[in-house]
Amino acid sequence: MTYTKLLVVDDDVIDRKTIIRTLSKEQNNYDIVEADSADDAYIYLDQMHFDVILMDYNMPQINGVEAIVKLRSQPQLKHTAIVMISNLYNESLVLDCINAGAQDFLLKQEVTSTQLTRSILQARKRHELEQQLYDSYRQVKQLAEKDPLTGLHNRFHFDEMLNRLLLARQRRKREIVAVMMLDLDKFKHINDNFGHEVGDQLLIAVADRIKEVLRENELLARLGGDEFAFACGELTSIRQIKAIAQRVLDTFYVPFDIDGHAVHCSGSIGIAIAPINSENRKELMKLADIAMYRAKNGISDKICIFQDNMQEAFLLKYQIESELKMATQSQHFELSYHPVIESQSDTITIIEALIRWPMANTTQLPEEFIPIAEEAGLIQTIGQWVLEHALYQFKEMLSNDHYQFRLSVNVSQCQLCDNDFANTVQRALETAAVAPDVLVLEITEAALLQNDQSINDTLLALSEMGVGLALDDFGTGLSSISHLLQYPFDIVKIDSSIVQNIAQRDSKHHDMLQGLSYMLEKLNITVVGEGVETTMQAQACNDMGITQQQGFLFYQPMSVDKVKNILKDESKASRLTLVHDGSNNNNKDT
Ligand code: C2E
Ligand code: MG
Ligand code: MG
């Protein structure tokens, strides 16, 4: 037989005994304990479990609602139902008790044995159901607050807790709160190369490592993808903030062991500080995000604290990105062509396609909008348009003539990362009916720094197809001779910053370029001097055997029609002799 364990709490001994007598009239078996004060009741409740508490509303030390609130705050009473009994009855009193956590309310004068028994039974049942409901609510809440992959809190919980942290800070004026955003560098690359499962395992491992270096009271969440956020309060100096951020970044130092793969991964952290940058949660998150992008794009410093001027730069970038998206959809781009000439025979050997965005309100400089297109994932579409359009216009240039020159097109590293890129090029060549060896793709060294197998494979496939490969802007700081040996380049374009410094024959640039051109000749690689602006520079290149030259001395980038005119006017084309006073700009399309 199961007993209902009952605690009857009433300071009035007569009332207490009446209740116990009433209950004993029923068949039900009650195991009853009596308490004559709330304090007494708490002592019993500490020592044993009760199924139901029958409690008088009016007791000397404590008001009934307060007593319920106090009882409901005790986790060990999670499964105990509470029934209030009182000499007074009014509806608001009943509602107050129920809202505070009681399951029923009875009037002492009307208590009969059946009613009391039924009330106890119903209160137990009701409480059980409430408990189940509460448990499932907790589960749903937890699911809503936790990131299922890493077990960290999610954005929803982070927002809520950050609000509390900021409120608490307002009471402690001398303290600062740091909101930090951490983004993994090249996570997409890891996902693409090792697969999503390894990517997921890496995120879990990263979460574990960060957890280890943060204190328990410091907030940590995964906001989505490879983006984590943490917030620390009770700080008093920027030095402390930087130390925490550095501690987090140091955890990336040792490669992650994921299923036997040593996965190298680093992170970038952006920081916004309350109250210095803002006191508002949303604003702080936004500013930390801006600072994070700054850290990501920085060469060395992977921790960046928000500064006011960043917002302007970010806003401009955002505007360029929005305008670019529209331009990409409506193909609002044009191409300019910039010839490379062979100085000895005065002929055009290559014509380089350069993108133009004449209708842009934000920026028309490719050096500004191309990196933004890369970051926004637009460069693949733009790059394909450039390739197809350039091939099409190249055919137009050739239609009446028999010139033996090649077409070069600049290719972004993001295009090379696409495993299908070699096929895309092949299809474009087939559609335009252009032989592969007529096309040259210009690649900057930044693409090679990742040392990525898929880029290597793509370059090999292109080279095997017969497409020429040019290493663009060589000598701009990232240059490495090993890239020349590792990848199948036919052409190296020496950056204008070097070419423009070689006129003084005793300069280091001069000697370096001389050595470099000798080495490249031995490797059977054609050298092109970029950015030749003066006859002195052209002559210095010639003297080193660099006879392929490109620059404003010969031509400005020009429209397809202008190229066609130059080619049509053969005498003009053949008059392409090197001029020595640097003032002959007859061919410029300014
Ligand atoms: P790049 O491929 O090195 O192109 C040469 C840039 O130098 C061009 O600038 C050209 O106008 C400029 N230039 C050529 N000769 C001279 C000279 O004698 N003096 C000076 N001061 N400048 C000269 P542009 O057109 O602004 O292009 C800048 C960069 O934007 C290009 O550098 C290339 O990296 C990128 N780019 C241009 N078009 C495309 C494209 O279609 N796709 C991709 N991915 N990148 C492109
Ligand atoms: Mg180029
Ligand atoms: Mg270049």
Side-chain angles (χ1 to χ4, degrees):
M1 173 165 304
T2 50
Y3 288 90
T4 302
K5 192 109 177 125
L6 198 66
L7 176 65
V8 179
V9 193
D10 201 322
D11 58 308
D12 186 324
V13 65
I14 310 234
D15 285 355
R16 219 167 53 227
K17 295 294 176 199
T18 314
I19 288 168
I20 293 168
R21 209 174 319 114
T22 314
L23 279 173
S24 62
K25 288 184 193 150
E26 282 293 313
Q27 292 296 327
N28 285 310
N29 286 294
Y30 293 104
D31 182 356
I32 301 175
V33 175
E34 296 173 51
D36 59 5
S37 68
D39 285 344
D40 240 18
Y42 298 138
I43 294 170
Y44 286 123
L45 287 165
D46 263 351
Q47 292 165 355
M48 57 188 102
H49 168 76
F50 290 94
D51 298 308
V52 182
I53 304 170
L54 269 177
M55 182 179 260
D56 181 23
Y57 182 85
N58 296 303
M59 284 194 295
Q61 308 105 318
I62 192 161
N63 148 301
V65 175
E66 285 169 26
I68 301 168
V69 171
K70 193 164 173 191
L71 291 172
R72 279 289 165 243
S73 69
Q74 316 264 329
Q76 81 272 23
L77 301 186
K78 194 175 146 185
H79 298 291
T80 306
I82 302 172
V83 176
M84 296 305 283
I85 34 178
S86 170
N87 291 316
L88 290 169
Y89 184 93
N90 76 46
E91 250 170 51
S92 78
L93 199 71
V94 176
L95 282 178
D96 284 350
C97 289
I98 302 285
N99 284 339
Q103 275 64 48
D104 207 350
F105 191 103
L106 299 175
L107 202 55
K108 279 186 184 173
Q109 297 87 310
E110 292 174 2
V111 165
T112 63
S113 64
T114 345
Q115 193 192 30
L116 197 52
T117 308
R118 195 175 58 230
S119 171
I120 288 171
L121 201 74
Q122 282 176 351
R124 281 193 74 180
K125 198 67 206 159
R126 200 174 298 145
H127 187 58
E128 217 174 279
L129 291 174
E130 281 171 7
Q131 208 49 51
Q132 278 170 9
L133 207 66
Y134 181 71
D135 285 347
S136 55
Y137 158 77
R138 292 281 312 170
Q139 254 175 12
V140 171
K141 188 164 153 67
Q142 203 166 49
L143 276 181
E145 287 178 344
K146 286 255 154 120
D147 164 40
L149 180 69
T150 59
L152 295 183
H153 294 301
N154 62 14
R155 183 185 288 273
F156 170 77
H157 184 80
F158 186 80
D159 286 355
E160 211 174 272
M161 298 310 282
L162 182 56
N163 270 337
R164 287 194 205 173
L165 199 61
L166 293 171
L167 272 176
R169 197 214 64 80
Q170 284 179 352
R171 290 193 297 273
R172 299 190 290 259
K173 292 277 180 217
R174 289 181 50 227
E175 288 175 8
I176 51 180
V177 168
V179 178
M180 315 204 205
M181 296 280 185
L182 165 91
D183 199 88
L184 304 188
D185 301 330
K186 306 203 172 70
F187 179 68
K188 183 179 174 315
H189 178 71
I190 292 169
N191 247 347
D192 291 348
N193 276 283
F194 296 104
H196 286 264
E197 260 180 43
V198 170
D200 283 356
Q201 294 302 315
L202 177 66
L203 291 173
I204 295 170
V206 166
D208 288 345
R209 284 198 190 173
I210 304 178
K211 245 189 300 190
E212 262 175 44
V213 295
L214 290 183
R215 292 208 201 98
E216 255 184 32
N217 64 346
E218 288 167 338
L219 261 180
L220 170 64
R222 177 174 166 238
L223 301 187
D226 59 339
E227 207 181 1
F228 295 84
F230 43 104
C232 312
E234 299 177 20
L235 302 171
T236 48
S237 76
I238 306 243
R239 196 177 43 80
Q240 285 174 307
I241 296 174
K242 281 191 172 164
I244 297 171
Q246 193 56 53
R247 234 172 30 228
V248 170
L249 284 193
D250 286 348
T251 66
F252 288 84
Y253 190 69
V254 178
F256 293 84
D257 179 5
I258 312 281
D259 283 347
H261 298 283
V263 179
H264 292 265
C265 176
S266 59
S268 308
I269 295 181
I271 304 170
I273 302 167
I276 303 168
N277 300 128
S278 169
E279 300 227 45
N280 175 281
R281 170 186 57 80
K282 269 194 182 166
E283 184 73 6
L284 284 164
M285 303 265 287
K286 186 183 87 186
L287 302 182
D289 213 30
I290 292 173
M292 194 271 292
Y293 276 103
R294 182 56 70 94
K296 219 174 179 49
N297 294 330
I299 306 274
S300 57
D301 214 352
K302 304 304 275 174
I303 298 172
C304 179
I305 298 180
F306 179 82
Q307 282 161 16
D308 278 342
N309 58 352
M310 284 179 196
Q311 199 156 13
E312 260 168 58
F314 188 81
L315 211 66
L316 176 65
K317 203 177 120 193
Y318 175 77
Q319 284 166 345
I320 297 176
E321 191 179 314
S322 313
E323 205 187 357
L324 253 182
K325 275 188 187 146
M326 289 192 284
T328 308
Q329 273 169 6
S330 40
Q331 304 190 336
H332 277 167
F333 300 109
E334 289 174 9
L335 291 179
S336 256
Y337 292 92
H338 200 196
V340 173
I341 61 121
E342 209 287 321
S343 62
Q344 304 304 303
S345 58
D346 302 332
T347 49
I348 296 173
T349 53
I350 303 176
I351 194 141
E352 178 179 6
L354 293 165
I355 193 163
R356 294 291 174 260
W357 186 16
M359 285 155 83
N361 294 314
T362 42
T363 176
Q364 301 192 348
L365 297 174
E367 271 158 339
E368 279 180 12
F369 70 76
I370 294 282
I372 295 174
E374 287 176 340
E375 227 176 86
L378 298 168
I379 196 69
Q380 283 83 352
T381 316
I382 297 176
Q384 185 153 354
W385 178 88
V386 170
L387 179 66
E388 289 169 358
H389 214 67
L391 283 168
Y392 173 80
Q393 293 194 324
F394 182 69
K395 289 282 283 193
E396 274 186 25
M397 291 175 203
L398 297 181
S399 56
N400 299 320
D401 298 288
H402 308 286
Y403 287 102
Q404 294 289 307
F405 59 87
R406 301 167 89 186
L407 167 74
S408 77
V409 172
N410 293 284
V411 166
S412 143
Q413 52 174 318
C414 307
Q415 289 171 273
L416 290 178
C417 287
D418 175 1
N419 290 334
D420 201 40
F421 182 66
N423 291 330
T424 307
V425 174
Q426 190 161 29
R427 280 194 297 271
L429 285 165
E430 282 166 7
T431 310
V434 171
D437 60 357
V438 173
L439 180 66
V440 176
L441 297 179
E442 297 195 8
I443 294 142
T444 57
E445 277 198 308
L448 311 176
L449 292 178
Q450 301 178 7
N451 208 2
D452 182 326
Q453 188 56 39
S454 64
I455 291 187
N456 200 0
D457 294 346
T458 302
L459 292 180
L460 268 180
L462 288 165
S463 175
E464 276 165 17
M465 269 161 61
V467 171
L469 297 176
L471 186 54
D472 205 356
D473 305 341
F474 191 74
T476 45
L478 305 166
S479 308
S480 149
I481 304 289
S482 72
H483 288 150
L484 296 174
L485 302 173
Q486 191 181 346
Y487 299 100
F489 286 108
D490 318 289
I491 299 169
V492 165
K493 296 183 81 173
I494 306 293
D495 192 65
S496 54
S497 57
I498 297 187
V499 170
Q500 286 167 2
N501 274 314
I502 57 167
Q504 289 163 303
R505 277 156 205 272
D506 53 355
S507 73
K508 277 186 189 162
H509 284 97
H510 181 277
D511 294 347
M512 184 189 75
L513 190 54
Q514 186 138 47
L516 195 64
S517 67
Y518 179 73
M519 182 194 74
L520 292 170
E521 195 191 309
K522 289 276 166 240
L523 290 172
N524 222 0
I525 294 176
T526 304
V527 185
V528 174
E530 282 189 307
V532 178
E533 289 181 348
T534 67
T535 49
M536 294 248 287
Q537 291 161 1
Q539 197 55 54
C541 283
N542 280 336
D543 292 348
M544 288 181 211
I546 303 174
T547 56
Q548 303 268 346
Q549 298 170 14
Q550 185 184 32
F552 294 170
L553 176 65
F554 315 105
Y555 292 102
Q556 289 272 344
M558 61 187 111
S559 67
V560 63
D561 290 335
K562 180 90 183 188
V563 177
K564 283 197 270 187
N565 283 340
I566 287 176
L567 294 175
K568 231 184 272 167
D569 183 358
E570 271 201 54
S571 59
K572 199 173 179 184
S574 60
R575 261 198 302 119
L576 280 174
T577 45
L578 276 180
V579 277
H580 293 279
D581 61 1
S583 62
N584 187 338
N585 286 334
N586 292 342
N587 293 323
K588 287 185 179 176
D589 182 24
T590 42

